[in-house]
Amino acid sequence: MIKICFVCLGNICRSPMAEFIMKDLVTKKNLTNEFFIESRATSNEENGNGIYPPAQKKLLEKGITFDHSKKSTQLKKSDYDKYDYIIGMEKANIRNINFLFEDSNDKVYRLLDFSNNPRDISDPWYTNDFDKAYDDILEGCTFLLDFLTKNI
Ligand code: 4NP
């Protein structure tokens, strides 16, 4: 079982989109028993809040099933041992994750560093571009799943 935690600033836009896009990809490959996938925030700003409605709308539009009761939860120190991969959306997330714990077992990565075009995923909370966020996250998750399934 591969345990993945996607991480962004608020856990109401990018990381929950990544969580449910990745679950969808895994389901389509009949690999649900091989993966445990969650998402967390580096900040506590949105603690307890649901997925941001425009992000929900994008997931619905793309036919991605998601948990309507998903609530923003802050990443905590003990999470380092809970997951095999802790995947941030942008450099600022990686910096914040590294403030919380030392990555002594090489678990922390930026999502699009798995792609052919390493880059940050812009925050749609600020850009309002949920199409771009969706496309970037799908690209990252597709490469990540390819990487992870090479050894299954
Ligand atoms: P996310 O977007 O990190 O993709 O979930 C944000 C959502 C909320 C805030 C920042 C980013 N906020 O500051 O409340």
Side-chain angles (χ1 to χ4, degrees):
M1 163 97 50
I2 300 172
K3 290 168 272 179
I4 305 170
C5 184
F6 292 104
V7 178
C8 64
L9 180 58
N11 192 214
I12 61 167
C13 298
R14 292 164 296 174
S15 63
M17 288 173 83
E19 174 183 343
F20 294 109
I21 289 170
M22 190 69 169
K23 283 178 173 164
D24 184 70
L25 293 175
V26 160
T27 301
K28 284 174 176 153
K29 287 198 180 252
N30 289 318
L31 291 171
T32 44
N33 293 335
E34 310 285 344
F35 286 90
F36 175 75
I37 304 166
E38 293 190 318
S39 62
R40 295 288 184 266
T42 56
S43 95
N44 62 6
E45 280 288 305
E46 298 289 344
N47 216 9
N49 291 339
I51 302 175
Y52 192 45
Q56 292 197 27
K57 187 165 163 259
K58 188 53 60 190
L59 292 174
L60 278 171
E61 187 187 307
K62 300 287 183 178
I64 307 289
T65 305
F66 61 92
D67 176 1
H68 289 254
S69 61
K70 157 78 189 165
K71 300 276 182 275
S72 172
T73 307
Q74 191 174 22
L75 187 69
K76 54 181 194 280
K77 231 182 166 72
S78 59
D79 285 331
Y80 193 73
D81 294 328
K82 183 176 173 187
Y83 302 105
D84 304 308
Y85 290 90
I86 297 164
I87 313 276
M89 301 293 126
E90 58 178 320
K91 279 184 186 151
N93 303 146
I94 306 298
R95 261 195 313 274
N96 288 326
I97 293 167
N98 285 329
F99 283 139
L100 186 63
F101 39 62
E102 191 190 334
D103 185 17
S104 43
N105 292 315
D106 278 343
K107 296 182 175 187
V108 179
Y109 298 88
R110 183 177 65 163
L111 183 57
L112 281 170
D113 283 342
F114 290 95
S115 80
N116 293 329
N117 178 16
R119 62 197 190 275
D120 283 348
I121 296 174
S122 309
D123 195 338
W125 173 261
Y126 299 108
T127 65
N128 213 27
D129 194 341
F130 285 84
D131 281 316
K132 179 158 173 46
Y134 179 86
D135 290 347
D136 283 353
I137 292 165
L138 177 59
E139 179 182 337
C141 287
T142 303
F143 275 97
L144 175 61
L145 186 55
D146 267 6
F147 170 81
L148 295 175
T149 48
K150 290 218 164 81
N151 296 317
I152 286 184

